[in-house]
Amino acid sequence: FVFPDAKIAIVCRITIETGGNFRPKRWDFMTKKELRAAMKKRNLSLSSEERDAASERIFGRVERLPGFSAARCAAFFCALPDEPQTGAALARWSAAKRIVVPRVEGDAMRFYDYAPGELCRGAFGIAEPSVAERPCDPAEIDFIVVPGVAFTAAGARMGPGRGYYDKYLSQSGFRGVKAGVCYAHQLVVELPVELHDVFMDYVVTND
């Protein structure tokens, strides 16, 4: 689905099992804490085969988004177990362009060159680049792939609640295309939005 007024492309088929209506599922009866817990549980319930297949579809669609092929520097992420798995795409993309991945440093997040053999276990158990790798200024990033707990068709995003991506994407020097990625069940009707929340340009799922 494409929403030109909002400049959002939903690269998926949005469905729930109710008479063939095509719409995201409603989760608005939950608090943020409950929604985060429910999504994590649902994500982890996927088998490894389902997770791998869904991840391959998601990142294959990211590759076809406007701006990706022309991007000289793309920011990506090293996935947690409940997120779309990025290993195969990281290997594929890093052979063709500069890929940078995040490192948490106190209350800030910074990106460094992706060097697969040099990753270390960092904040929250996430694989992170070493500070010895080349740092990336926000202005150098042409395209960024952003994980999240839930997204809407308008590009709203709910993260884990720490605000790292919102703070990073709000920097004055950042001009990259923003693509949120998630499993199909993480696309919801609406989310609570605050003034500091940054909307995505695209939202990509596997369905």
Side-chain angles (χ1 to χ4, degrees):
F1 294 91
V2 178
F3 299 82
D5 292 339
K7 298 182 180 178
I8 299 295
I10 305 303
V11 190
C12 63
R13 181 166 48 85
I14 306 167
T15 115
I16 60 172
E17 298 177 2
T18 53
N21 294 320
F22 294 90
R23 56 187 175 89
K25 187 171 182 179
R26 298 195 68 89
W27 296 82
D28 54 352
F29 58 90
M30 290 185 171
T31 65
K32 286 185 177 182
K33 182 178 180 180
E34 291 170 338
L35 180 57
R36 288 182 175 113
M39 288 300 186
K40 184 172 184 177
K41 182 178 181 180
R42 180 83 176 270
N43 294 352
L44 291 174
S45 73
L46 298 173
S47 68
S48 58
E49 292 80 10
E50 290 172 324
R51 191 174 297 114
D52 289 344
S55 301
E56 187 60 28
R57 284 195 293 272
I58 289 168
F59 297 120
R61 288 167 176 167
V62 169
E63 292 171 356
R64 298 193 293 273
L65 288 178
F68 179 83
S69 61
R72 290 174 295 178
C73 177
F76 206 13
F77 64 95
C78 297
L80 287 169
D82 61 315
E83 294 174 332
Q85 298 302 287
T86 55
L90 275 168
R92 187 165 65 246
W93 296 355
S94 61
K97 63 180 75 219
R98 183 186 180 193
I99 297 297
V100 295
V101 291
R103 176 184 175 87
V104 172
E105 300 176 353
D107 62 353
M109 182 175 70
R110 296 182 176 88
F111 282 81
Y112 293 83
D113 280 0
Y114 170 68
E118 303 299 327
L119 295 175
C120 56
R121 187 179 178 86
F124 315 110
I126 303 171
E128 293 184 339
S130 163
V131 291
E133 301 304 328
R134 178 168 53 139
C136 181
D137 187 271
E140 297 180 79
I141 296 174
D142 302 307
F143 193 102
I144 187 169
V145 181
V146 183
V149 171
F151 294 88
T152 71
R157 170 184 175 271
M158 177 186 286
R162 305 180 189 99
Y164 288 112
Y165 274 97
D166 287 320
K167 285 186 284 188
Y168 190 87
L169 299 174
S170 297
Q171 295 178 92
S172 59
F174 183 84
R175 294 289 185 273
V177 175
K178 303 175 293 293
V181 294
C182 64
Y183 298 120
H185 60 263
Q186 293 175 274
L187 191 68
V188 301
V189 173
E190 59 185 353
L191 289 169
V193 176
E194 299 180 32
L195 289 176
H196 65 267
D197 291 336
V198 176
F199 278 59
M200 300 293 102
D201 298 308
Y202 298 94
V203 176
V204 183
T205 85
N206 57 292
D207 203 355

